[in-house]
Amino acid sequence: MAQIHTNQTLSVNLPEVLVLGPPSIFRIYEKHLSQKFMLLKPWESPIPLEEFLSIHAQNTTAVLTSSVVAYLSSALRLLPSVRLVVTSSVGLDHIDLKECRRRGISVAYAPSVFSADVANLAVGLWVDVLRKISAANCFLKTGLWPVKGDYPLATKLGGKRVGIIGLGRIGREVAKRLEAFGSKISYQSREKKPSVSYPFYTDVCELASNSDVLIICCALNDQTYHLINREVLQALGRQGVIINAARGAIIDEKALVQFLQEGKIAGAGLDVFEHEPNVPEELLELDNVVFSPHSAVFTEESCKDLYDLVVGNLKAFFSNKPLLSPVQFDDFMR
Amino acid sequence: MDSNSIGVLMTCPMSPPYLEQELDRRYRLLRFWKFPQKSELLKPHSQEIRAVVGNATIGANAELIDALPKLEIVSSYSVGLDKIDLAKCKERGIKVTYTPDLITDDAADLGIALILAVLRKICGCDLFVRRGLWKNGDFQLTSKFTGKSVGIIGLGRIGTAIAKRAEAFDCPISYYSRSEKADTNYKYYPSVIDLASNCQILVVACSLTPETRHIINREVIDALGPKGVLINIGRGPHVDEAELVSALVEGRLGGAGLDVFENEPEAPEELFGLDNVVLLPHVGSGTIETRTAMADLVLGNLEAHFLNKPLLTPVV
């Protein structure tokens, strides 16, 4: 039984937190977290999760979860005492917010800790696809420059029409960067943002027909599932490029693969996929696609900031203080 | 005057093919690279050649200029002039034109591309997925760009364009230049060592002159340090390449993004296996739009010269 809990002499005084995932901050901060909280770590137990929760977590009031825990809802059903779910993500598509609100469970997330890093990676992928950075680096490092001569020409960044889908924090950070590159920016969002002057589109297809590049910066929810479908890709066209550092399921991946294979769009930069860590094999043969392993938020700095935020939220909860970054249910449930 | 009788020497193949095609259509084009023995071309044709079209790889050195007694103009398909013996041209009254301004955006874009590629290990991420390694676990943590201090050597057109872009990523900007610029708010450092000691990402964006050769030397690399990143979008000889290689291999420098090398197309093989180093085959102006505009400028300058009109972009 002692293996389930971290070995500590003063463990009885530490507040208990059930950890699911575990979240990426564990890679660096597991020890730090176990010095502040009594961590329940089901993956270290040989018994199945349901049994573990029934035995060890009936009095647990706080859950710390990553964003790739698809079974979160079923787990929560087995936890009668939970009052707080802390997710180490900005995405909330893995959480049944309606159910949490119904049960009076607060949810804390990481709304702005990653915005800059996600925007930076989205822009980095955009630049890489258009200027063929990864492909040219590979060309040189495999010794081809003296053999084959000049690398094929790429395409200029400036003056391109960029359509941003979702103009929240991340979308606005992307727009700010792209303006400095001389891009012409338009966007599609649930509603027009009065504080920005970029042209606004209600319809993604229309945005796509007027764009050279689409950058997806919106959340995944019922309305945005497979938002980028065949029709949108067709509208984007043969010279079009798509960048996704949001959620894989916002794009109809089968359609995307087909369009790329058939040269019906010009390229893609993808940090996320429908069935991570699996990536469509057909895409691996293409040199106009740049891949990233869902790592938009994984910088040392963001990891530290996220750790600080998670700890801050948990400490606030356990001392009956207001959460640092609570989800306002009304903002997310329409 | 029939321009098809004007001899124009093109020094090496240049992409896209548009420039060569147009030169061939308008003039009597001689392709230097088709003659393994240069004397084979120069002996019979030296009296015909009135123009040389060179680029950043092969320009017009003293030897070539001396071999062409009728040379009137060197029209460079580049903004860099380090491959042209300007003193010799001046001496002989040979006009020189180049392609300024056109590559500013492409070069600055590439500078930022290299910073992101190095800090976020984008090329490494791409390979990680392609090799199927993601199935075994997550990629390593990388380094955030936003908030890091960017130091720029040379605040000309390209340096300024890099600064503007880096500012949009919320990075503080500092620079070194021969003299402080009055019209900017960026922090000025009076020496490259000072700049390197006070920034995390050092970008070379100045022109290559005898004074700036090896401007990045052992001392500067040491000042930049094991967490520092060097980006070179200038010319290979700006950097003491041997010192840079040993610093990277030994971990004394945090990373590097290089588009240029001392001995192109050779690049230091010791760096090929390092994932904190991104190496590009001199693609600074390698976009179809920019090269086409550069070609038009080369053609426009030649046309103006042979029609006795003012040159479009002469080197002053």
Side-chain angles (χ1 to χ4, degrees), chain A residues 218-240:
Chain A
C218 61
L220 173 63
N221 52 44
D222 292 334
Q223 292 80 47
T224 62
Y225 175 78
H226 280 199
L227 178 68
I228 309 302
N229 55 20
R230 258 166 226 290
E231 217 192 320
V232 174
L233 293 171
Q234 189 72 33
L236 182 59
R238 293 197 162 271
Q239 307 298 326

Side-chain angles (χ1 to χ4, degrees), chain A residues 24 27-28 113 116-121 123-125 127-128 131-143 145-146 149-158 160 173 176-182 271-273 276-279 281 283-303 305, chain B residues 13-16 55 57 102 105-110 112-114 116-117 120 122-131 134-136 138-146 148 161 164-165 167-170 227 258-261 264-267 271-291:
Chain A
S24 54
R27 273 200 280 183
I28 303 192
V113 155
D117 270 334
V118 178
N120 291 350
L121 188 75
V123 174
L125 287 173
V127 171
D128 194 321
R131 293 296 297 269
K132 304 185 202 278
I133 307 295
S134 287
N137 174 62
C138 218
F139 171 85
L140 190 154
K141 287 185 176 181
T142 48
W145 194 12
D150 281 345
Y151 193 71
L153 295 181
T155 179
K156 194 179 167 78
L157 301 182
K160 292 283 189 298
E173 293 285 338
K176 181 170 97 170
R177 286 146 175 75
L178 292 181
E179 275 201 88
F181 286 93
D271 184 47
V272 285
F273 304 85
E276 296 169 16
N278 295 309
V279 162
E281 298 272 320
L283 293 186
L284 297 175
E285 294 157 30
L286 304 175
D287 69 353
N288 56 342
V289 180
V290 180
F291 299 93
S292 180
H294 200 153
S295 57
V297 308
F298 289 152
T299 64
E300 288 171 3
E301 292 87 344
S302 277
C303 203
D305 290 344
Chain B
M14 299 174 199
S15 49
N55 68 357
T57 312
L102 293 178
D105 287 336
D106 276 356
D109 292 346
L110 197 76
I112 302 293
L114 282 169
L116 284 166
R120 296 300 299 267
I122 296 180
C123 309
C125 281
D126 182 64
L127 276 175
F128 184 78
V129 175
R130 285 177 184 277
R131 288 178 179 158
W134 194 9
K135 299 183 211 231
N136 303 332
D138 284 331
F139 193 69
Q140 54 184 285
L141 289 180
T142 58
S143 185
K144 186 171 181 167
F145 178 25
T146 292
K148 293 215 161 52
K164 178 177 161 200
R165 286 151 176 74
E167 275 193 298
F169 287 82
D170 295 316
K227 295 216 179 254
L258 312 171
D259 185 44
V260 285
F261 306 88
E264 295 169 20
E266 303 296 331
L271 302 181
F272 288 12
L274 302 179
D275 74 350
N276 57 338
V277 177
V278 176
L279 305 174
L280 299 178
H282 203 151
V283 295
S285 63
T287 66
I288 190 112
E289 296 89 338
T290 293
R291 290 288 178 83

